[in-house]
């Protein structure tokens, strides 16, 4: 009692200090103020942030429940606790939670006293434990979901204070959903709705132990999930060298380019200072299933000093950092990780998703290995985008590519192309075989050519020695290919129209590979795709060359084969004239990376300096390179689809921009009637769940 008197005195001083008035003695006034405190908590910073993170919009406020007080602290015959009807960490069907004898709820949740495991209550208060267990079972059955409840025992009498649907880990979400179907409590459809695509994504990647304290030194744009630890390296070369010496590395670059691919491949994770969700680093890392944070404007890289500075912390090459690809955070030192989880219920749930799914999910894959993983491990139903430029990344493949670019005339270019032909053909054979029975969309060369050439003097000298060319001539060629806006420059179909021999080589490689594997019994369905069309003429010219080569190859090989020729719709103009294009194109694939770039006028590689600010300030609700901007870009996608189908009702339509793996964007694609979405292999299950949920929410006619 003495202690209480002291505490009450201190409380009163505190109330005066904070509110300027006396603590009210009138119980009605106390109650009124308590209610007001709850109501005004709706607009505190924490609540606003919580709603923003969870995208909770359109609510007008919160409610207040007023209950009679019961006292868990009225002696040793009283207790209080918080518990779940199932284990919220692993989903096991057991009562899970904590309690304290002679205490109030606050003592349990605030962590001031160490509570006991709920199981011990059975021995300490057997009658109450039995009652609580019965309440839990009834509440779960009534609400048909796992409940999180608070109870108090006052002088031997049990009270349930509150029940709500319990928060759970991704693993528990899957286990509980599946087991509740098996118990007959919910339907398969309900189980599918109860697991979020984001939870599936987390299950497929390692995460940092949420209990480990973390002090981020910087935060960037989370581009590909995962949790990685490694020593910092600043070049792809160093990455490869250190990995050979058995180190685990994180490649830190201002941005990445095709030259960095070797280093990216061996690194645990990738961190870049600039670039957005559709930048080179982001999409290559995602394809590799590798953790990646991009556009981390808070890090200032000094390559010469081999260090970066982040908000005052200096990190040198060789220092260990931890990178969280789900939150975008960067920490110094090694955080403990929890590995990718294998659970039997996941396979059952994904089986139901496949059973109820009505829209196809393909994958973006550029190598036979990725195609194999996407097909076997994730059940991708074909390839929606094979970026042929990514096939030139290997050491032995980049040399003839460079020779082709450096060629002075068509004859020299054809010599180099002849070397590239068998390399491409072999890769296509591998991809077609991995996708036996499923369609494969191969896109012709897309990026600006200078991306394949070395830009620093040292590598130019090395290349000169390698291919027997003058270093000065290489430097001159690199300079001549320089463009002010390479994303809007000599790339996409424009390359093939100015150098038709490139189209001819690629069409031949695709078709020879298709005929070769068909002869071995593979069911091959090639779809040749033209990038960056803005006018019908661009498509017609390119298509004519493709069809000419394909017809010849089919004749030469005496192997009749069906194939399609279609186009990316990624330039806004292409969406506007989709009716014209559909007269000649057999399919459309929306390239929403470029379409977002061109519709917003935001360079997809340079958004790190302003986009995080836009999102933080609410100028944009979400990063449009991650979640399709339905209001703007979405209009173009919808219009392109409608105009295309208006001309050709059976026009096959899909999406292959990074949005194809984003749950909200996938739901939009479903709603406008696309045939498929295509995304990186590791996002295939995420997309499958999202399209199935979309169909369950509002089935299309
Ligand atoms: C796109 O622009 O959306 C697309 C898929 O092509 P890329 O990302 O290769 O430019
Ligand atoms: Mg594109």
């Amino acid at each position: 009692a003495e202690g209480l008197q002291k505490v009450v005195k201190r409380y009163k001083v505190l109330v005066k200090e904070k509110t300027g008035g006396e603590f009210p003695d009138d119980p009605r006034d106390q109650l009124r103020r308590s209610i007001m405190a709850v109501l005004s908590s709706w607009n505190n910073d924490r609540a606003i942030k919580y709603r923003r993170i969870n995208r909770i919009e359109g609510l007008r406020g919160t409610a207040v429940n007023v209950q009679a007080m019961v006292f868990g602290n009225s002696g040793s015959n009283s207790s209080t606790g918080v518990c779940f009807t199932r284990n919220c960490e692993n989903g096991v069907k057991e009562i899970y939670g904590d309690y304290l004898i002679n205490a109030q709820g606050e003592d349990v949740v605030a962590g001031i006293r160490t509570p006991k495991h709920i199981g011990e209550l059975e021995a300490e208060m057997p009658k109450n434990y039995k009652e609580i267990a019965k309440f839990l079972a009834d509440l779960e059955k009534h609400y048909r979901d796992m409940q999180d409840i608070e109870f108090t025992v006052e002088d031997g009498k049990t009270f349930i204070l509150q029940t709500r649907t319990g928060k759970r880990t991704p693993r528990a979400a899957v286990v509980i959903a599946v087991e509740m179907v098996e118990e007959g409590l919910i339907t398969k459809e309900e189980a599918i709705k109860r697991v979020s695509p984001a939870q599936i994504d987390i299950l497929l990647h390692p995460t940092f132990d949420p209990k480990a304290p973390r002090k981020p030194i910087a935060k960037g744009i989370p581009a590909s999930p995962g949790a990685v630890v490694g020593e910092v390296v600043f070049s792809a070369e160093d990455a490869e060298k250190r990995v050979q010496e058995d180190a685990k590395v994180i490649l830190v670059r201002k941005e990445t380019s095709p030259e960095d691919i070797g280093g990216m491949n061996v690194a645990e994770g990738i961190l870049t200072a600039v670039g957005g969700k559709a930048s080179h680093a982001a999409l290559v890392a995602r394809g590799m299933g590798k953790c990646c944070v991009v556009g981390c404007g808070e890090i200032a890289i000094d390559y010469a000093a081999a260090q970066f500075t982040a908000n005052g912390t200096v990190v040198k090459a060789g220092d260990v950092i931890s990178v969280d690809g789900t939150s975008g955070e960067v920490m110094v030192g090694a955080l403990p990780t929890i590995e990718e989880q294998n659970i039997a219920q996941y396979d059952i749930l994904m089986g139901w998703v496949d059973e109820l799914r009505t829209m196809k999910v393909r994958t973006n894959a550029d190598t036979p290995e990725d195609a194999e993983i996407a097909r076997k491990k994730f059940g991708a139903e074909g390839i929606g985008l094979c970026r042929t430029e990514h096939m030139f990344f290997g050491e032995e493949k980049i040399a003839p590519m460079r020779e082709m670019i450096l060629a002075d005339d068509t004859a020299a270019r054809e010599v180099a192309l002849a070397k590239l032909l068998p390399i491409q053909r072999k890769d296509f054979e591998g991809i077609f075989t991995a996708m036996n029975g499923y369609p494969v969309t191969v896109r012709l060369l897309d990026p600006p050519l200078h991306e394949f050439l070395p830009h620093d003097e040292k590598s130019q000298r090395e290349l000169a020695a390698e291919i027997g060319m003058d270093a000065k001539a290489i430097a001159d060629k690199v300079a001549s290919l320089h463009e002010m806006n390479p994303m809007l420059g000599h790339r996409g179909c424009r390359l093939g129209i100015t150098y038709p021999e490139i189209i001819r080589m690629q069409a031949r490689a695709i078709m020879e590979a298709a005929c070769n594997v068909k002869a071995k019994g593979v069911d091959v369905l090639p779809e040749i795709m033209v990038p960056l069309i803005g006018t019908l003429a661009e498509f017609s010219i390119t298509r004519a060359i493709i069809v000419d080569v394909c017809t010849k190859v089919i004749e030469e090989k005496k192997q009749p084969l069906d194939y399609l020729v279609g186009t990316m719709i990624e330039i806004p103009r292409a969406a506007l004239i989709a009716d014209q294009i559909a007269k000649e194109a057999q399919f459309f694939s929306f390239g929403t990376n470029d379409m977002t770039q061109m519709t917003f006028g935001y360079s997809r590689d340079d958004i790190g300096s302003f986009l995080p600010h836009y999102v933080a300030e609410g100028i944009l609700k979400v990063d449009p390179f991650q979640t399709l901007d339905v209001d703007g870009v979405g209009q173009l996608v919808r219009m392109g689809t409608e105009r295309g189908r208006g001309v050709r009702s059976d026009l096959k339509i899909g999406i292959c921009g990074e949005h194809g793996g984003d749950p909200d964007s996938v739901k939009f694609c479903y709603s406008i009637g696309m045939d498929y979405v295509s995304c990186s292999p590791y996002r295939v299950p995420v997309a499958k769940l999202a399209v199935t949920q979309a169909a369950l929410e509002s089935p299309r006619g």
Side-chain angles (χ1 to χ4, degrees):
E2 253 171 54
L4 264 178
Q5 280 172 359
K6 275 191 199 155
V7 170
V8 166
K9 258 196 201 128
R10 280 165 60 190
Y11 265 129
K12 286 188 164 173
V13 172
L14 204 61
V15 167
K16 191 150 190 195
E17 221 177 272
K18 297 278 176 192
T19 67
E22 296 296 330
F23 184 82
D25 285 333
D26 175 8
R28 284 176 190 283
D29 194 18
Q30 289 176 4
L31 180 58
R32 193 183 54 83
R33 290 199 198 194
S34 302
I35 293 171
M36 289 313 288
V38 174
L39 293 179
S40 57
S41 74
W42 180 252
N43 276 329
N44 71 26
D45 287 350
R46 216 158 33 110
I48 292 172
K49 199 164 176 181
Y50 178 86
R51 291 198 292 275
R52 189 162 72 214
I53 292 170
N54 292 289
R55 295 205 207 159
I56 299 171
E57 290 166 8
L59 297 182
R60 294 171 61 191
T62 184
V64 181
N65 275 328
V66 180
Q67 301 177 304
M69 181 82 183
V70 282
F71 296 88
N73 56 351
S74 69
S76 58
N77 198 17
S78 300
S79 66
T80 192
V82 176
C83 55
F84 296 86
T85 55
R86 303 195 185 211
N87 186 316
C88 62
E89 290 187 30
N90 60 22
V92 169
K93 194 175 179 189
E94 61 184 7
I95 299 177
Y96 182 80
D98 297 323
Y99 76 101
L100 277 171
I101 296 284
N102 192 14
Q104 285 197 296
E106 198 57 19
D107 304 326
V108 181
V109 291
I112 308 163
R113 284 165 62 182
T114 307
K116 298 182 191 172
H117 185 267
I118 193 76
E120 291 175 48
L121 190 71
E122 192 169 7
E124 275 199 291
M125 296 183 161
K127 177 180 99 47
N128 302 101
Y129 181 83
K130 231 171 131 185
E131 283 169 3
I132 291 166
K134 170 84 169 70
F135 278 130
L136 292 189
D138 288 349
L139 285 167
E140 188 181 273
K141 207 163 158 201
H142 176 77
Y143 287 108
R144 301 164 68 246
D145 202 351
M146 186 263 263
Q147 296 295 299
D148 164 356
I149 72 136
E150 288 178 23
F151 70 86
T152 284
V153 176
E154 184 186 65
D155 294 329
K157 186 164 184 212
T158 307
F159 294 88
I160 300 294
L161 309 184
Q162 165 181 310
T163 185
R164 60 182 161 187
T165 297
K167 294 248 182 307
R168 59 206 83 179
T169 63
R171 180 190 181 96
V174 171
V175 171
I176 292 172
V178 170
E179 291 192 346
M180 283 190 169
V181 175
E182 286 165 352
E183 292 162 21
L185 205 56
I186 60 172
T187 62
K188 285 179 195 174
E189 288 81 355
E190 282 170 309
I192 289 168
K193 284 195 215 162
R194 282 193 188 171
V195 178
S196 73
Q199 287 174 320
I200 291 292
D201 197 21
I202 292 171
L203 276 186
L204 295 171
H205 294 89
T207 47
F208 286 123
D209 184 344
K211 293 191 189 95
R214 54 164 82 189
K215 274 204 220 119
I217 54 163
K219 189 163 184 225
I221 301 171
S224 179
V228 289
V229 175
E231 67 175 60
V232 170
V233 289
F234 289 103
S235 72
E237 231 177 355
D238 287 349
E240 292 185 75
K241 193 167 136 250
R242 288 295 295 137
V243 168
Q244 283 211 325
E245 293 160 1
D246 278 344
K248 287 192 185 315
V249 303
I250 291 175
L251 179 61
V252 182
R253 303 279 305 159
K254 279 193 185 125
E255 76 276 288
T256 63
S257 74
E259 279 182 68
D260 297 319
I261 203 75
M264 295 173 83
N265 192 33
V266 296
E268 300 296 308
I270 297 138
L271 170 64
T272 71
V274 300
K277 294 242 185 200
S279 62
H280 178 264
L283 58 90
V284 171
R286 225 171 280 135
M288 292 173 165
K290 205 160 273 221
C291 170
C292 177
V293 171
V294 296
C296 190
E298 290 172 1
I299 66 168
I301 303 177
D302 182 344
Y303 285 132
Q307 65 179 42
F308 73 78
T309 313
N311 297 309
T313 307
V314 177
V315 178
K316 294 190 178 315
D319 289 354
V320 170
I321 59 169
S322 300
V323 176
D324 187 330
T326 308
S327 69
E329 290 166 327
V330 181
M331 280 74 49
V332 172
L335 257 63
T337 50
I338 300 171
E339 285 313 305
E340 175 191 342
Q341 307 173 34
N342 285 320
I343 34 181
Q345 287 86 350
Y346 168 82
D347 293 328
I348 299 175
L349 184 78
M350 290 313 291
W352 295 338
V353 164
D354 279 342
E355 200 180 295
L356 295 170
R357 198 159 42 85
T358 52
M359 183 178 169
K360 299 259 186 274
V361 176
R362 298 195 195 179
T363 192
N364 292 358
D366 319 311
T367 62
E369 297 76 36
D370 286 353
E372 183 95 8
I373 293 179
R375 178 71 219 115
K376 296 246 168 78
K377 185 165 177 193
F378 300 120
E381 297 155 306
I383 289 183
L385 174 63
C386 170
R387 292 180 166 99
T388 48
E389 59 270 17
H390 287 189
M391 301 166 87
F392 297 113
F393 285 158
E395 267 307 311
E396 76 286 6
K397 299 180 189 172
I398 194 127
M401 184 67 184
R402 286 173 162 165
E403 199 182 319
M404 189 274 286
I405 298 165
L406 293 166
D408 278 330
D409 51 33
T410 310
R413 206 163 17 253
E414 277 179 342
V415 170
L417 284 167
K419 292 183 195 165
L420 287 171
L421 176 78
I423 299 175
Q424 287 238 291
R425 188 177 52 217
K426 184 160 167 267
D427 277 347
F428 291 139
E429 285 172 356
I431 292 173
F432 288 142
T433 308
M435 284 290 158
N436 189 358
Y438 292 91
V440 174
T441 308
V442 182
R443 183 180 72 184
L444 302 181
L445 201 62
D446 181 51
L449 294 179
H450 78 87
E451 277 196 7
F452 295 93
L453 296 179
H455 288 88
D456 61 293
E457 232 182 279
K458 183 172 159 263
S459 349
Q460 287 176 356
R461 273 202 309 273
E462 280 168 13
L463 177 64
E466 203 181 312
I467 62 172
M469 210 175 144
D470 182 35
K472 166 89 176 40
I474 293 181
D476 287 349
K477 186 79 186 180
V478 172
S480 79
L481 288 172
H482 172 77
E483 293 177 315
M484 288 300 200
N485 287 311
M487 274 290 179
L488 302 177
H490 194 186
R491 60 172 286 221
C493 63
R494 302 158 205 168
L495 284 173
I497 288 173
T498 42
Y499 303 127
E501 52 279 13
I502 299 181
I503 310 178
R504 272 190 229 112
M505 181 281 284
Q506 290 205 290
R508 176 163 283 277
I510 296 166
M511 210 31 85
E512 286 186 354
C515 291
N516 291 351
V517 298
K518 189 170 182 203
K520 290 187 189 148
V522 173
D523 182 10
V524 58
L525 304 160
E527 302 178 343
I528 302 176
M529 179 154 78
V530 186
L532 228 65
I533 286 293
T535 68
L536 176 61
E538 285 173 324
F539 183 70
S540 311
I541 294 168
T542 312
R543 179 177 175 274
I545 303 171
I546 295 169
V547 171
D548 178 53
V549 173
C550 290
T551 312
K552 280 194 190 120
V553 174
I554 287 171
E555 267 169 36
E556 284 162 24
K557 295 263 177 191
K558 300 197 174 36
Q559 184 66 262
L561 191 73
D562 287 333
Y563 66 95
L564 302 180
V565 184
T567 183
M568 303 270 304
I569 301 285
E570 48 189 342
I571 290 186
R573 190 177 192 280
L576 297 169
I577 58 154
D579 47 348
Q580 294 175 29
I581 297 175
K583 288 194 185 118
E584 296 195 18
Q586 290 168 293
F587 64 88
F588 283 177
S589 178
F590 284 91
T592 43
N593 302 332
D594 273 309
M595 193 172 266
T596 300
Q597 164 168 267
M598 287 183 252
T599 305
F600 274 90
Y602 296 163
S603 158
R604 56 199 265 195
D605 290 324
D606 301 295
I607 53 174
S609 49
F610 62 93
L611 205 76
H613 174 76
Y614 271 31
V615 174
E617 293 298 313
I619 298 167
L620 286 174
K621 281 206 189 114
V622 287
D623 175 347
F625 287 98
Q626 178 186 353
T627 300
L628 191 82
D629 158 50
V630 170
D631 290 348
V633 181
Q635 276 196 56
L636 289 167
V637 176
R638 185 191 295 272
M639 182 194 299
T641 304
E642 286 169 2
R643 295 199 174 167
R645 289 246 173 90
V647 171
R648 198 190 274 259
S649 62
D650 63 343
L651 186 70
K652 202 194 275 196
I653 296 183
I655 182 174
C656 64
E658 296 305 298
H659 304 93
D662 170 70
D664 289 342
S665 315
V666 163
K667 289 181 182 181
F668 170 76
C669 296
Y670 176 84
S671 74
I672 62 164
M674 281 193 190
D675 296 296
Y676 68 87
V677 295
S678 187
C679 55
S680 56
Y682 288 79
R683 293 201 74 84
V684 166
V686 176
K688 282 184 167 184
L689 179 61
V691 294
T692 310
Q693 287 181 342
L696 293 175
E697 278 157 27
S698 48
R700 54 187 191 200

